[in-house]
Amino acid sequence: MFYMKVRCKFRCHYKETFCKDTPNEYTLVRMSPVYSGSEENKQFFSATPSGDITFNTVNRDAADQIEQGKEYYIDIIPAE
């Protein structure tokens, strides 16, 4: 089956680490679709005007790569 590439562009608007420096440490990340700031963002907004992504990660290296206020591409690919 052929799958069309689906790409979204989201901005991290919230990031907080809980239970820092303990075995239970985790980071909460919340993202929303972009809506302004560039022509590309306006194009993404026209296709994805609302939504949210929220997740927790216990992987500190992964959490360190995500910055509050920064924009990220989200690719949607089927898991086989």
Side-chain angles (χ1 to χ4, degrees):
M1 174 178 253
F2 172 76
Y3 292 100
M4 186 176 81
K5 181 178 180 180
V6 178
R7 175 170 269 191
C8 305
K9 191 173 181 186
F10 278 66
R11 175 179 287 116
C12 175
H13 63 84
Y14 181 83
K15 177 184 170 186
E16 186 171 356
T17 300
F18 297 90
C19 304
K20 194 160 181 77
D21 299 322
T22 74
N24 297 320
E25 178 178 311
Y26 68 96
T27 300
L28 170 64
V29 176
R30 292 189 175 143
M31 298 181 166
S32 299
V34 296
Y35 55 87
S36 65
S38 71
E39 284 304 312
E40 181 185 61
N41 287 0
K42 290 177 186 176
Q43 288 177 341
F44 274 101
F45 177 73
S46 70
T48 312
S50 66
D52 62 85
I53 297 173
T54 301
F55 63 91
N56 293 310
T57 182
V58 296
N59 182 330
R60 183 182 281 185
D61 291 334
D64 288 345
Q65 294 181 56
I66 299 169
E67 297 177 35
Q68 189 169 318
K70 192 169 179 180
E71 297 172 351
Y72 296 89
Y73 293 112
I74 308 296
D75 291 328
I76 300 172
I77 303 165
E80 298 297 327

